Amino acid sequence: TSFTLDHLKKRCLIGFSDGEAVVFNIINGAKVKTLPKHQGEVNFIFEAHNLALLITASSVDSTIRMSTDTEINETEQKRMITITDQIITSVTYKAHEKMIVVGTRNGQISFWEAETAKNIGVCNTINEEITNICALKDYEYIWVGTTSGKVYMLSTPPAPFRFAKVYEFANFDPEAPLSAVYIQDLIWAEESSSLFIADEKCYIKRLDMSSVMKDIIEHKKNRANKSDDSSNLRGHLNPPTIANTSPKIL
């Protein structure tokens, strides 16, 4: 039910419908380690390499389990996050901030310190089911996809304007241009400033986000070079201004 490779692409991390999560050697297929079991299917599995952790999450038991990945064949659960009164629909790890981001069926997005399992904020501004979240590697933002076909760029902690919607657009059906389509998956390619979308109409699209990133980068430079005068201070505390025009489909 979930699959990823580790950062060296030498191991595959696999979650199963019975709650099991297992790490295999990709070269010879040998089982390397078995992770702590969930009470239902494992919907998300990924590596937090900079913390030497393997992270699994299940929508059935509403838990996110972080297990040690320091020894070759050994692992143990280090900490756990329980999402109460919510159904988990998306989980991602933001490595630079060592932060786990969780999206839910009712549109809530929560942010957690992976090192302590401490909650550091909740965003309730999206009133739609979250289908996918992907993180920008070097910037304090995430992309969020929803069942209504909307894509949002949100600012994240530790930005002073956290949870601000800085950009949004609809994923329209090429055959019915006024109809937004449910988003199944998002992948962000930071090197090319491209956002890949897979949707329920079976389309896979690559979108050009270079103009959006140009504004994000410029805003980050201005924040870094701020002075004590009031105009620059306001610019530091406010989110970037990005025109909500539809991105070009590449």
Side-chain angles (χ1 to χ4, degrees), residues 224-238:
N225 298 326
K226 73 182 188 300
S227 65
D228 292 332
D229 69 86
S230 59
S231 62
N232 275 336
L233 182 60
R234 284 195 298 271
H236 171 64
L237 296 176
N238 293 332

Side-chain angles (χ1 to χ4, degrees), residues 113-160:
E113 287 182 352
E115 291 181 294
T116 63
K118 176 185 176 183
N119 181 261
I120 53 176
V122 177
C123 173
N124 288 305
T125 59
I126 297 178
N127 299 314
E128 308 161 43
E129 180 178 337
I130 309 298
T131 60
N132 197 265
I133 299 172
C134 59
L136 278 70
K137 179 181 175 183
D138 297 321
Y139 301 92
E140 298 160 332
Y141 301 92
I142 54 174
W143 291 106
V144 179
T146 72
T147 53
S148 68
K150 290 287 189 67
V151 179
Y152 301 95
M153 176 184 265
L154 297 183
S155 58
T156 68

Side-chain angles (χ1 to χ4, degrees), residues 1-2 15-21 38 40-45 56-58:
T1 51
S2 55
F16 297 94
S17 58
D18 62 356
E20 294 278 2
H38 285 268
E41 71 177 56
V42 178
N43 304 100
F44 308 95
I45 187 167
T56 59
S58 172

Side-chain angles (χ1 to χ4, degrees), residues 155-217:
S155 58
T156 68
F161 43 85
R162 62 177 64 184
F163 313 145
K165 288 181 188 176
V166 299
Y167 180 68
E168 65 180 87
F169 67 93
N171 174 49
F172 288 118
D173 183 350
E175 297 175 0
L178 297 180
S179 176
V181 182
Y182 183 117
I183 294 168
Q184 299 278 13
D185 202 5
L186 295 174
I187 295 178
W188 173 241
E190 197 146 305
E191 295 79 6
S192 61
S193 296
S194 299
L195 185 66
F196 290 82
I197 293 179
D199 62 35
E200 69 172 352
K201 289 285 187 177
C202 303
Y203 284 105
I204 299 175
K205 304 167 186 171
R206 178 186 172 198
L207 307 180
D208 180 12
M209 294 298 177
S210 56
S211 62
V212 174
M213 290 309 301
K214 182 179 178 181
D215 292 337
I216 293 293
I217 293 167

